């Protein structure tokens, strides 16, 4: 029993050490990325909740584990209008590096609580990683450089990045596990992917850019797409454990995966390019600071073209810096 206990302890110690090494990011690179991501959030992905101020109380029906249950109902309408302004102030504080850690914690709490109210209507999206990225910045040394008031360094920098990497893998794994139950059926007459294509294509006024190419595709190709999607989502832990390069390669696959979703299904998850960018973009943007202006050109795109532009641009910059050492 003692030998088993020692083996288990040694295994998990090595497990977490390896992941910590593979997910670690240079502090200066992450500090510059803090400024970049703050600007992108402010310009393109700023959380907005003032629309909730006009929702009748009768629509407040949160699920059992929703944080909104702690409040028992919607707060006064003025609350959502005030928090929208507070979010802007906090984002500006993170960009210039003024009490950044406090601002990031404030952004995390406000988005989690306000999203709880939004989800009490039955609306569920994937902004959770957007909230978590604020928490990651708060507990890393992301504000020790490029800040008018640099924060003191803390020791949990690498551990925070490790747990964030694990949370991303866990999210993909749970999605893949559910797909595996329905999609891995060895039946060429059914397809989870193709069902999504049909649902989006025939029920939406805005047709996805590439969906039409899959409406009459070979069933074997469709089956391969089903199984490949499941395999990709379930295999993340292998890439995370193997090396720092393999972890980044997995995130590149994830970026292509989301770009394909945007092109074929009009489901972009574009905010995730900022999440993956912690590992994929932070170093290359630090190295080529002037290149960050090209992200500003996304302002001139609308609809699905906006999402495709940002995903394509982030992938291109990732490939430029993939084999560069941090």
């Amino acid at each position: 029993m003692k030998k088993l206990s020692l083996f288990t302890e040694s295994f998990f110690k090595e497990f977490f050490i390896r992941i910590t090494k593979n997910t670690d990011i240079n502090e200066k690179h992450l500090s510059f990325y803090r400024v970049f991501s703050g600007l992108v959030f402010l310009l393109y992905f700023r959380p907005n909740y003032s629309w909730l101020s006009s929702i009748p109380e009768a629509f407040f029906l949160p699920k059992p584990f929703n944080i909104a249950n702690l409040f028992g109902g919607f707060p006064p309408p003025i609350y959502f209008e005030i928090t929208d302004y507070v979010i802007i102030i906090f984002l500006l504080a993170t960009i210039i590096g003024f009490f950044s850690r406090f601002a990031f914690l404030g952004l995390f709490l406000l988005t989690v609580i306000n999203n709880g109210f939004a989800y009490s209507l039955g609306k569920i999206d994937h902004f959770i990683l957007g909230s978590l990225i604020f928490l990651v910045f708060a507990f890393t040394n992301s504000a020790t450089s490029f800040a008018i008031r640099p924060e003191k360094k803390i020791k949990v920098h690498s551990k925070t990045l490790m747990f964030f990497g694990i949370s991303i893998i866990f999210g993909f794994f749970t999605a893949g596990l559910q797909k595996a139950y329905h999609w891995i059926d060895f039946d060429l007459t059914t397809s989870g992917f193709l069902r999504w294509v049909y649902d989006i294509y025939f029920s939406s006024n805005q047709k996805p850019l590439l969906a039409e190419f899959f409406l009459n595709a070979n069933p074997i190709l469709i089956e391969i797409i089903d199984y490949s999607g499941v395999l990709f989502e379930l295999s993340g832990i292998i890439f995370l454990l193997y090396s720092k390069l393999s972890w980044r390669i997995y995130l590149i696959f994830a970026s292509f995966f989301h770009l394909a979703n945007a092109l074929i299904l009009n489901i972009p998850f574009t905010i995730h390019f900022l999440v993956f960018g912690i590992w994929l973009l932070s170093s290359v943007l630090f190295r080529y600071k002037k290149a960050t202006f090209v992200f500003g050109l996304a302002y001139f795109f609308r609809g699905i073209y906006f999402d495709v532009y940002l995903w394509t641009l982030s992938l291109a910059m990732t490939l430029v810096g993939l084999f560069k050492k941090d």
Side-chain angles (χ1 to χ4, degrees):
M1 183 63 72
K2 185 177 181 181
K3 288 184 178 180
L4 178 61
S5 176
L6 290 173
F7 171 79
T8 304
E9 181 181 350
S10 175
F11 172 81
F12 280 106
K13 183 178 180 180
E14 179 62 27
F15 177 86
F16 287 115
I17 288 175
R18 194 171 184 85
I19 295 179
T20 300
K21 179 182 177 182
N22 293 342
T23 55
D24 196 30
I25 295 293
N26 181 288
E27 294 173 1
K28 281 193 174 181
H29 297 182
L30 191 60
S31 292
F32 185 79
Y33 189 72
R34 180 205 82 239
V35 178
F36 166 77
S37 60
L39 286 168
V40 173
F41 264 109
L42 188 64
L43 293 174
Y44 304 132
F45 301 112
R46 178 171 57 86
N48 187 308
Y49 302 100
S50 57
W51 60 275
L52 284 167
S53 61
S54 61
I55 302 297
E57 191 71 25
F59 286 90
F60 183 79
L61 296 169
K63 299 295 183 181
F65 296 103
N66 190 326
I67 194 171
N69 283 299
L70 298 176
F71 299 88
F74 289 117
I78 190 65
Y79 164 81
F80 294 111
E81 296 174 12
I82 291 175
T83 55
D84 276 0
Y85 287 107
V86 172
I87 285 171
I88 293 174
I89 293 170
F90 281 162
L91 283 173
L92 289 172
T94 65
I95 293 168
I96 65 176
F98 186 72
F99 289 97
S100 300
R101 189 160 288 132
F102 174 81
F104 277 126
L105 289 173
L107 286 168
F108 171 74
L109 290 173
L110 281 177
T111 54
V112 167
I113 292 171
N114 286 6
N115 282 336
F117 289 119
Y119 300 161
S120 69
L121 309 175
K123 174 186 178 297
I124 298 177
D125 60 26
H126 292 73
F127 190 79
I128 182 62
L129 288 180
S131 293
L132 284 179
I133 199 174
F134 297 139
L135 198 61
V136 169
F137 279 129
F139 287 98
T140 55
N141 294 323
S142 63
T144 54
S145 301
F146 301 101
I148 63 174
R149 183 186 178 277
E151 299 281 357
K152 292 182 179 179
K153 291 188 177 184
I154 53 179
K155 295 181 180 180
V156 295
H157 172 89
S158 297
K159 288 186 175 62
T160 301
L161 291 169
M162 174 197 68
F163 283 117
F164 193 44
I166 292 174
S167 70
I168 292 172
I169 291 302
F170 178 76
F172 275 121
F173 184 83
T174 54
L177 204 60
Q178 186 178 31
K179 289 186 182 73
Y181 180 76
H182 297 284
W183 291 18
I184 308 298
D185 56 6
F186 304 102
D187 183 353
L188 294 179
T189 65
T190 64
S191 170
F193 164 72
L194 199 57
R195 179 183 175 181
W196 284 359
V197 173
Y198 285 159
D199 286 347
I200 296 295
Y201 187 83
F202 291 108
S203 65
S204 174
N205 291 327
Q206 182 183 2
K207 304 300 183 186
L209 296 177
L210 299 181
E212 190 172 349
F213 292 98
F214 294 91
L215 295 179
N216 297 302
N218 188 298
I220 295 178
L221 172 62
I222 297 298
E223 198 79 350
I224 291 173
I225 292 174
D226 275 2
Y227 297 171
S228 297
V230 172
L231 179 63
F232 158 71
E233 292 189 328
L234 294 180
S235 63
I237 189 62
I238 299 172
F239 289 84
L240 182 59
L241 277 170
Y242 188 73
S243 70
K244 179 174 284 191
L245 178 60
S246 68
W247 169 232
R248 293 184 181 185
I249 289 174
Y250 182 79
L251 293 178
I252 290 174
F253 285 151
S255 299
F256 275 113
F257 178 76
H258 285 310
L259 174 59
N261 282 338
L263 289 169
I264 302 169
L265 301 171
N266 273 8
I267 307 175
F269 299 114
T270 311
I271 198 172
H272 288 185
F273 99 85
L274 284 177
V275 175
F276 303 158
I278 287 180
W279 294 280
L280 297 181
L281 293 174
S282 58
S283 296
V284 68
L285 288 177
F286 178 82
R287 192 173 293 111
Y288 305 109
K289 297 182 182 64
K290 291 182 180 179
T292 56
F293 84 92
V294 293
F295 286 91
L297 298 179
Y299 177 80
F300 298 101
F301 292 88
R302 292 293 179 268
I304 196 65
Y305 297 101
F306 166 84
D307 304 297
V308 171
Y309 176 77
L310 283 178
W311 274 121
T312 304
L313 180 60
S314 64
L315 276 165
M317 295 196 70
T318 293
L319 295 175
V320 167
L322 179 61
F323 297 102
K324 300 283 187 179
K325 291 186 178 180
D326 291 344

